[in-house]
Amino acid sequence: MDLADVHRVVDAWAEEFSTLSSRPGIQSVQIFENRGAMMGCSNPHPHGQIWANETIPDQLARECASFSEHLQKHKSGLLEDYLAIESEKQERIVGGQW
């Protein structure tokens, strides 16, 4: 995909996320790519999916608890701390201009 197409996809995801998360009772919105049978999907081609749930999935609840625990303990955000470490080490850094 060229950069303009990527922008359109991300903009569509953001719009759907905003619309779904503003609905009463929705506690979680997940946007992801499903890569076909190798990932347990019945649809054989890669495709995006968006799930909106009235409950918070267990894995997401655990991640949120970890974020809160880290913030309380270190007075800084976990993802921001990872970004600082990885930026310093130049690991897992994706280049490009949005």
Side-chain angles (χ1 to χ4, degrees):
M1 293 175 66
D2 66 23
L3 191 54
D5 289 335
V6 172
H7 274 280
R8 283 190 283 279
V9 170
V10 173
D11 287 346
W13 286 345
E15 185 176 335
E16 288 296 318
F17 182 92
S18 180
T19 298
L20 290 167
S21 64
S22 67
R23 292 180 62 176
I26 297 298
Q27 298 294 311
S28 170
V29 177
Q30 294 175 290
I31 301 171
F32 59 96
E33 287 291 312
N34 199 324
R35 300 291 178 176
M38 68 185 268
M39 297 303 292
C41 178
S42 60
N43 214 339
H45 64 278
H47 60 283
Q49 290 183 282
I50 302 175
W51 290 354
N53 300 295
E54 292 180 340
T55 59
I56 298 175
D58 293 341
Q59 180 65 33
L60 180 56
R62 284 191 294 273
E63 288 178 14
C64 289
S66 292
F67 291 153
S68 293
E69 185 179 309
H70 184 89
L71 182 61
Q72 292 292 322
K73 185 175 181 180
H74 300 282
K75 306 297 183 220
S76 60
L78 180 61
L79 297 180
E80 290 83 1
D81 289 351
Y82 272 124
L83 177 60
I85 291 167
E86 291 176 1
S87 293
E88 182 180 314
K89 291 182 175 184
Q90 290 297 296
E91 291 179 355
R92 298 193 315 170
I93 303 300
V94 178
Q97 182 71 28
W98 283 98

